[in-house]
Amino acid sequence: MTSENRRIILVLSAFCILFVGLVGYLSYFQVFKAEAVKNNSYNKRLWINEENVLRGSIMDRNGNVLAYSEKDGETNKRYYKYGNLYSHIIGYSYREYGKAGLELEYNNVLLDISESAALNELKNLVLPSSVGNNLKLTIDHSTQEKARSLLNGRKGSIVLMNPKTGEIYAMVSLPDFNVANLNENWKEITENPDSPLLNRATQGLYTPGSIFKMVTTLGVLESFSLDLEYNCVGSTVIDGYKLTDYNERAHGKLNLHDAFVKSCNPYFAEKAVVMGKDKFGEVAERFMINKKIHFDLPVKTSQFPYKGNVEETEIAASGIGQGRVVVTPLNMAMMASAIANEGEMVKPILVKEIIDKDGRILKVMDTEVISTVTGPSVANTIKDMMVDTVKAGTGTNARIRNVTVAGKTGTAENPSGKSHSWFVGFAPAEAPRLAIAVVLEEAGVTGGQGAAPIARDLFIHGLNNIDFEEEY
Amino acid sequence: MLDTNIRPSTPRRLLFLYEILALILLFIYQKDNLDQYIIGIGIGLILLVHISNYLLLKISKGDNYIFLIATMLMSIGLIMIYRIDSQAGVRQLMWLALGIFFFYISYFLVRYLKGLNRLIYIYIGLAYFLFILTFLLGKRTYGAINWIRVFGVSFQPAEITKLILIFILASFYYQYENFKEMKYSSYILMAIAYSFIGLLFLQRDLGMAVIFYAIFLAIQFIYEEDRKLILLNIGLAVLGAIIAYQAFSHVRIRVATWIDPWQYIDDKGYQITQSLFAIAEGGFFGKGLGLGHPHFIPLAYNDFIFSAICEELGVFTGMGIIMLFLLLVYRGFKIALGQSNLFYRILALGISTLFGVQSFIILGGVLKVIPLTGITLPFVAYGGTSILSSFIALGILQAASEDFEWRMSDD
Amino acid sequence: MFNILSLLFKYIFIIIIYMFIFSIIRLIYLDIKGMNNTALGGAYLKLVNRKDSIPFKINEYYSIGEGLTLGRRGDNDIVIKDPYVSKDHFQIVKDEDEYFLEDLNSANGTYLNGERIQDVVPLKDGDRIRVGNIDFLFVNKGM
């Protein structure tokens, strides 16, 4: 073949590659990207489809309607009964601002759009206008209201759930916003430096502080060779860095139980280093740290970077929940649940049932164990420590008469501001029905002072008001 | 399977069937407010396509396929344009008729005019003349000065200049042996090509600049004996792209909206995101003709006709269009390989490259594979000069598919 | 009504487009295949007319080998069902590496480069042979 012909064929081959590439990309786009692109709120076609369908209602576990749609002349109008209360759970569905929360995640259910496009087309032909499906949530409306009022306007988040079933009874994130009149305050919401749009319960990544000692404790318990005794002098030096206790108080000679109850920092820092980063990391991952949590709302993944070249001081800091460890409140509520549920972590659920317009239940969400953190005996050992923490340790503010509360406080030093105040726990300790995580962002007070009383009040309200269905 | 008997007339019949079905559908679509054009459009399209195909069969002894492919593309395009805007559809039909007329004219001119290969200086002069004309009479639309109005008709001179470039290149390498005696002749050719590209850049016609560059690079790559010039050419293009990115904000905007259009969805990224919505919404089989919302796409029958087609006729039709262009390019190269006359061989190569690059740039653009530049999809998109230019180019290719050596000995 | 029709038609449209593409690919494939079979070596006849302008079955290339005959009757090497073509129209014979064309007393005659042949004539590369409305190009690169 002449060099001319060879070059001609080379150029032709280049064109073939380009065009076949285009066909390939088009298929890739259609298979993997199209769904996400289509659901972008700027896609005007979405709204045309919606004009024909009356969006389904959303109600709490007792059937109280929280959001519903009504025909308003030609168009369908969406009503949100409780402006701020469900801004991060239900979210909103606005032509101008798009969708968020369950309105986004369950859009196809609420509009009764099936997965198959061909089926939809046929359905639209037969029934040009229809009514979507309703959602029944696991939320208890009165508890949700109580939780929001307990935060009392402070920045932070509360997640209250059933440790056995995974049902979320309340989930609050402050600051929030009024979804009923987004048109009037959208600009203000988006420009607010405290980002009200952020759902702190699932998307907020906080330094956990001492509540992370629950993870360290499990690691210590599993490392049989570890010496559980330790003499605390109020501070310890690891690799040239000094780690101190709160107020540099020396706890003296103590074992794991006492170290946990008194939240002794040098103890857990030292033990984390001796345990080793790989063991520590492996235990943390059983608590779904570094793991994707599948939930009805998008969840940020909690992080504990331990792989690769991590210094000892970093591991020591992680041992007391400082350093580069960051977690979501939802994940921490799940952590408390796992201990409450004899070591089994269940998938959190927010949507209990999908019900069609005629009241038929289309789908019931089942409880699902997503991680076995530990066995019942080790879980009970940790539970006992948590009970003593509330009885006589840092968490006494969470004490309730006649009910045994188990808990762990945390005061997380925050490099960018005042410390976060944490409490995680569950009640009643003997037969747990409620598990909680409370975080007050940049509260500047200890977990025992700030978060523990909130947990106590919400436990009292919840135990008295929630209809738990299953008998204990 | 490829061996089974097939009649040469099968594709023409399929094309006929396609047109008839589409027109029936459009007829029903508009039956409530029927305009007087639909019958005209229907008869016009079918007559135009089939008479011109039949005529070509009788006249040309060259390639059987390229014109057929082009008429398939133009049928899909016209049906879509008419569905979006019936007025535009009628105008498009007229442009197509004129385009096919020009196809025959260019076919006959290239086939029977002798000495086309000796007019290099005239070509160069003509190209510069057209550029000067653009700058003198240019109108600015969508940020580009590339239109002029002559006798009330909008006209984009670069659409003609790109064909002249192909003639310049063909004449040069046809007489390469003579030119080689002239010192630095290849460098002068490159300087001329780059001056065209630079001028297009000044007119902010980025898509056209890329087309010019690609044609020049392809022909140079095949025929230039001084191989380091090709490296120089590629190097200069990379350098030029970097400088352009640094110096011109409109280039930076193109790149930014290509990388993440969602961030600029309200203004600069609006067009491309609307295009992606349409393609995503269509799915593999489309919404069905008349059942989508192509009027949400800006410039739905010009630059974004492909997105509109994908929405209503499906991504499979879109892939079909891509394959038709690939077949067209393949036939063009095949014609070049079979052409023994060097001048006509280079013409065939240049025009195939033109079709290939132009369709790739706009298809890749609306799909967000490459930055979007406003050029038209040959034969499919609405647009006067672009349709004429594409058909003229096709006429040249048709002529170049014939055997010139023994025509000359015949006369 | 329109919706149902449009939903149905969109599948038909796609099927037609792909049949169109497929039929073109198949025709191109047949062309190339025909070319390869004959272009392997030796002399051959190439059809000059566009194949689809001829209303009866004909190939684009015919290998000559040691010679061939053309006519309307079925036992010829090239059979052409054209009324202009006689039952036995012409033949090409090879003799000492040279090819000769001979008209077999056909009714309408055989034309070589526009002239009707009377006797046996030698063929050279690039000659055009016409029978009725059909033009062949004689190609013999091996000479």
Side-chain angles (χ1 to χ4, degrees):
Chain A
M1 198 189 287
T2 61
S3 71
E4 178 192 345
N5 281 3
R6 208 190 61 236
R7 287 174 195 157
I8 291 176
I9 288 172
L10 217 60
V11 175
L12 176 59
S13 313
F15 275 114
C16 288
I17 292 167
L18 287 180
F19 278 80
V20 170
L22 272 186
V23 171
Y25 179 79
L26 199 50
S27 329
Y28 162 78
F29 176 84
Q30 203 50 247
V31 174
F32 295 105
K33 296 253 198 87
E35 202 56 37
V37 168
K38 260 197 292 196
N39 289 330
N40 188 301
S41 64
Y42 280 82
N43 184 2
K44 298 172 198 161
R45 293 163 186 83
L46 282 181
W47 298 101
I48 291 198
N49 295 338
E50 290 191 15
E51 294 294 280
N52 303 327
V53 185
L54 196 65
R55 206 177 174 80
S57 306
I58 300 177
M59 51 204 142
D60 85 338
R61 62 187 295 108
N62 304 314
N64 297 320
V65 174
L66 311 174
Y68 63 100
S69 286
E70 258 179 14
K71 268 222 155 5
D72 179 19
E74 276 295 285
T75 59
N76 297 326
K77 192 162 168 22
R78 189 73 167 160
Y79 295 95
Y80 297 101
K81 272 175 84 175
Y82 307 95
N84 284 44
L85 191 57
Y86 293 99
S87 56
H88 294 119
I89 296 175
I90 295 175
Y92 52 85
S93 170
Y94 272 81
R95 190 180 272 250
E96 298 86 347
Y97 314 112
K99 297 181 169 68
L102 293 176
E103 294 272 37
L104 173 66
E105 306 298 326
Y106 279 80
N107 189 46
N108 286 354
V109 173
L110 288 165
L111 291 174
D112 195 18
I113 298 172
S114 51
E115 301 296 318
S116 144
L119 214 65
N120 275 324
E121 279 169 357
L122 275 177
K123 199 183 69 189
N124 289 344
L125 288 180
V126 183
L127 293 167
S129 76
S130 58
V131 181
N133 299 314
N134 304 322
L135 298 183
K136 188 175 195 180
L137 306 187
T138 57
I139 295 287
D140 182 78
H141 178 62
S142 79
T143 310
Q144 173 79 4
E145 268 186 330
K146 179 72 179 172
R148 183 168 187 272
S149 72
L150 284 171
L151 275 183
N152 197 17
R154 286 172 286 180
K155 266 195 288 180
S157 173
I158 299 176
V159 177
L160 183 73
M161 64 188 283
N162 186 315
K164 289 196 155 41
T165 63
E167 289 170 289
I168 306 273
Y169 294 126
M171 187 169 80
V172 180
S173 164
L174 281 188
D176 51 17
F177 53 99
N178 189 347
V179 290
N181 59 354
L182 276 190
N183 290 325
E184 289 152 40
N185 50 22
W186 180 255
K187 196 173 153 63
E188 190 191 319
I189 291 167
T190 50
E191 286 172 1
N192 188 331
D194 287 334
S195 25
L197 287 175
L198 179 74
N199 181 2
R200 286 164 159 77
T202 57
Q203 305 274 304
L205 285 173
Y206 295 96
T207 304
S210 296
I211 58 167
F212 203 67
K213 286 173 186 164
M214 288 173 66
V215 178
T216 323
T217 300
L218 179 59
V220 172
L221 285 171
E222 287 184 1
S223 307
F224 300 109
S225 56
L226 264 182
D227 179 11
L228 297 181
E229 303 293 318
Y230 180 74
N231 188 13
C232 171
V233 294
S235 70
T236 180
V237 176
I238 289 167
D239 210 10
Y241 288 87
K242 192 177 170 191
L243 276 148
T244 64
D245 248 324
Y246 195 69
N247 294 340
E248 280 202 54
R249 189 196 315 153
H251 295 111
K253 208 168 161 50
L254 35 64
N255 61 13
L256 175 62
H257 177 275
D258 296 343
F260 187 93
V261 172
K262 292 174 179 164
S263 203
C264 171
N265 282 347
Y267 183 97
F268 287 98
E270 291 260 349
K271 297 301 175 197
V273 172
V274 182
M275 185 191 332
K277 62 189 176 95
D278 291 327
K279 175 66 188 168
F280 192 12
E282 185 261 322
V283 171
E285 287 184 357
R286 273 187 260 151
F287 281 106
M288 300 304 280
I289 313 285
N290 291 342
K291 293 259 166 91
K292 175 120 196 71
I293 295 171
H294 295 279
F295 185 47
D296 295 316
L297 296 174
V299 181
K300 279 247 171 75
T301 300
S302 303
Q303 280 154 27
F304 170 30
Y306 70 94
K307 291 214 173 88
N309 196 10
V310 181
E311 286 176 24
E312 270 193 358
T313 47
E314 190 60 47
I315 295 301
S318 304
I320 58 169
Q322 296 291 148
R324 289 194 288 167
V325 179
V326 283
V327 297
T328 57
L330 177 70
N331 194 182
M332 290 300 97
M334 290 161 68
M335 176 176 79
S337 297
I339 299 303
N341 196 29
E342 302 188 317
E344 295 206 318
M345 187 183 263
V346 294
K347 183 175 184 254
I349 50 177
L350 191 53
V351 176
K352 202 172 159 64
E353 289 166 3
I354 296 171
I355 302 166
D356 79 359
K357 60 176 193 297
D358 304 320
R360 277 176 305 214
I361 297 175
L362 298 180
K363 195 173 175 192
V364 179
M365 305 303 165
D366 292 322
T367 300
E368 187 188 327
V369 175
I370 52 172
S371 172
T372 301
V373 173
T374 182
S377 69
V378 176
N380 284 332
T381 309
I382 298 175
K383 187 207 284 189
D384 291 341
M385 297 180 199
M386 291 171 75
V387 168
D388 289 342
T389 303
V390 173
K391 204 174 276 173
T394 53
T396 47
N397 280 342
R399 232 172 357 196
I400 305 171
R401 202 159 11 120
N402 302 333
V403 178
T404 326
V405 176
K408 180 79 195 83
T409 60
T411 311
E413 282 169 37
N414 174 15
S416 57
K418 289 193 277 184
S419 52
H420 305 313
S421 175
W422 276 98
F423 183 87
V424 297
F426 51 89
E430 309 78 45
R433 291 176 161 188
L434 294 175
I436 200 168
V438 178
V439 61
L440 296 177
E441 188 176 323
E442 299 181 350
V445 294
T446 64
Q449 291 165 332
I454 295 177
R456 175 194 60 211
D457 292 349
L458 200 58
F459 277 151
I460 294 170
H461 181 94
L463 291 171
N464 287 328
N465 291 286
I466 298 171
D467 171 19
F468 285 103
E469 290 171 7
E470 63 265 64
E471 278 308 310
Y472 289 88
Chain B
M1 186 162 62
L2 285 167
D3 275 320
T4 45
N5 222 352
I6 178 166
R7 300 155 78 106
S9 57
T10 306
R12 274 202 306 281
R13 293 190 180 156
L14 288 169
L15 178 54
F16 180 72
L17 187 65
Y18 191 92
E19 288 164 347
I20 286 285
L21 288 179
L23 290 164
I24 291 173
L25 197 59
L26 284 175
F27 184 78
I28 300 170
Y29 177 55
Q30 297 197 327
K31 70 175 186 309
D32 295 332
N33 51 347
L34 206 57
D35 65 51
Q36 68 267 39
Y37 302 122
I38 178 71
I39 304 286
I41 277 270
I43 296 170
L45 175 67
I46 288 171
L47 285 182
L48 188 62
V49 167
H50 294 276
I51 290 179
S52 55
N53 262 311
Y54 184 76
L55 213 57
L56 193 65
L57 212 64
K58 295 289 162 210
I59 296 170
S60 172
K61 292 187 170 125
D63 187 273
N64 308 353
Y65 306 111
I66 53 172
F67 190 76
L68 200 58
I69 293 169
T71 45
M72 180 83 207
L73 287 169
M74 97 185 193
S75 304
I76 301 174
L78 179 67
I79 288 161
M80 201 64 220
I81 293 166
Y82 183 76
R83 176 258 175 275
I84 296 169
D85 179 347
S86 55
Q87 302 283 320
V90 174
R91 286 197 302 275
Q92 173 77 345
L93 182 66
M94 290 172 183
W95 281 115
L96 290 174
L98 198 63
I100 289 174
F101 177 66
F102 273 95
F103 165 85
Y104 280 109
I105 289 187
S106 82
Y107 167 74
F108 281 116
L109 286 181
V110 174
R111 181 169 158 187
Y112 291 112
L113 277 185
K114 286 183 178 176
L116 283 172
N117 47 28
R118 290 191 292 270
L119 303 175
I120 183 163
Y121 298 109
I122 293 176
Y123 298 142
I124 294 172
L126 200 59
Y128 282 117
F129 172 74
L130 284 171
F131 274 115
I132 292 167
L133 209 64
T134 318
F135 278 106
L136 288 181
L137 309 169
K139 294 259 182 304
R140 187 179 279 273
T141 51
Y142 305 116
I145 325 172
N146 46 17
W147 292 89
I148 57 174
R149 283 185 81 80
V150 182
F151 308 119
V153 179
S154 286
F155 172 77
Q156 198 174 355
E159 291 281 358
I160 302 303
T161 324
K162 69 188 182 192
L163 301 179
I164 297 175
L165 174 74
I166 295 170
F167 276 92
I168 294 174
L169 294 169
S171 316
F172 180 86
Y173 285 107
Y174 182 74
Q175 303 171 71
Y176 196 33
E177 294 306 317
N178 298 339
F179 278 112
K180 262 197 291 194
E181 289 165 17
M182 213 163 101
K183 254 194 165 180
Y184 302 122
S185 58
S186 289
Y187 287 87
I188 294 168
L189 180 73
M190 193 152 148
I192 291 170
Y194 266 83
S195 73
F196 292 165
I197 295 166
L199 286 165
L200 287 168
F201 219 88
L202 288 180
Q203 298 172 6
R204 294 199 174 188
D205 200 344
L206 299 183
M208 197 61 89
V210 175
I211 292 174
F212 273 59
Y213 175 75
I215 293 172
F216 176 58
L217 181 68
I219 303 295
Q220 192 192 40
F221 172 76
I222 296 169
Y223 290 102
E224 181 58 56
E225 284 173 15
D226 189 353
R227 301 307 283 174
K228 66 177 184 297
L229 260 183
I230 292 145
L231 287 178
L232 178 69
N233 193 1
I234 295 171
L236 278 176
V238 173
L239 196 70
I242 293 169
I243 292 173
Y245 182 79
Q246 299 293 340
F248 298 104
S249 62
H250 66 272
V251 178
R252 281 198 298 278
I253 289 171
R254 296 268 163 123
V255 175
T257 52
W258 168 55
I259 292 168
D260 185 12
W262 309 104
Q263 199 183 328
Y264 310 97
I265 196 163
D266 278 326
D267 43 20
K268 297 166 201 134
Y270 184 75
Q271 293 188 347
I272 179 70
T273 48
Q274 292 300 325
S275 156
L276 293 178
F277 287 150
I279 297 168
E281 198 74 32
F284 281 107
F285 292 98
K287 288 273 170 198
L289 196 62
L291 299 181
H293 302 281
H295 43 272
F296 287 158
I297 316 167
L299 302 171
Y301 50 80
N302 296 34
D303 297 10
F304 290 96
I305 183 116
F306 185 75
S307 318
I309 291 172
C310 281
E311 174 169 10
E312 294 216 322
L313 299 173
V315 164
F316 278 139
T317 301
M319 289 176 184
I321 288 175
I322 297 173
M323 281 189 239
L324 285 171
F325 274 109
L326 182 56
L327 270 181
L328 185 62
V329 172
Y330 165 79
R331 278 317 289 176
F333 276 82
K334 197 77 195 153
I335 287 168
L337 287 169
Q339 175 56 263
S340 48
N341 182 307
L342 180 61
F343 179 70
Y344 296 98
R345 187 158 63 219
I346 300 176
L347 284 186
L349 285 174
I351 286 164
S352 317
T353 308
L354 166 69
F355 286 148
V357 170
Q358 185 167 342
S359 53
F360 180 78
I361 289 177
I362 185 65
L363 291 173
V366 299
L367 285 173
K368 202 180 88 68
V369 174
I370 53 172
L372 180 67
T373 47
I375 56 174
T376 52
L377 190 58
F379 304 111
V380 184
Y382 178 83
T385 342
S386 136
I387 288 287
L388 295 190
S389 158
S390 299
F391 272 108
I392 291 170
L394 194 72
I396 299 167
L397 190 59
Q398 183 71 40
S401 72
E402 297 186 359
D403 205 335
F404 278 89
E405 296 299 338
W406 57 264
R407 175 175 69 78
M408 284 165 182
S409 64
D410 225 19
D411 299 350
Chain C
M1 167 62 186
F2 168 76
N3 292 9
I4 295 169
L5 214 57
S6 182
L7 285 181
L8 190 70
F9 273 36
K10 73 185 189 188
Y11 296 104
I12 299 174
F13 284 148
I14 289 167
I15 292 169
I16 296 177
I17 287 189
Y18 281 85
M19 281 170 71
F20 179 86
I21 293 172
F22 184 66
S23 63
I24 285 189
I25 291 175
R26 209 150 57 162
L27 287 171
I28 292 173
Y29 168 81
L30 290 176
D31 281 1
I32 293 172
K33 199 173 155 236
M35 207 148 48
N36 286 345
N37 283 350
T38 49
L40 288 174
Y44 60 90
L45 289 181
K46 177 182 184 286
L47 182 70
V48 175
N49 309 60
R50 280 178 56 148
K51 197 175 152 191
D52 47 2
S53 66
I54 294 171
F56 37 80
K57 191 172 175 296
I58 193 161
N59 289 347
E60 206 141 332
Y61 297 90
Y62 291 100
S63 183
I64 299 173
E66 295 302 306
L68 56 70
T69 58
L70 178 145
R72 195 151 38 102
R73 224 180 37 204
D75 59 355
N76 284 293
D77 296 316
I78 306 176
V79 181
I80 292 175
K81 298 287 185 196
D82 182 351
Y84 275 100
V85 175
S86 302
K87 283 180 183 146
D88 296 296
H89 201 108
F90 72 65
Q91 67 172 345
I92 297 174
V93 290
K94 188 180 181 185
D95 185 27
E96 309 235 327
D97 286 343
E98 242 188 299
Y99 290 92
F100 295 93
L101 174 67
E102 184 183 6
D103 187 82
L104 299 171
N105 290 325
S106 64
N108 295 305
T110 305
Y111 293 78
L112 181 64
N113 297 330
E115 280 177 40
R116 184 166 182 167
I117 58 168
Q118 305 296 337
D119 207 350
V120 180
V121 287
L123 287 169
K124 60 182 190 304
D125 186 38
D127 277 344
R128 288 171 81 184
I129 304 167
R130 173 179 291 164
V131 177
N133 293 320
I134 305 164
D135 276 310
F136 287 107
L137 182 68
F138 174 76
V139 183
N140 188 6
K141 301 285 184 197
M143 276 163 86

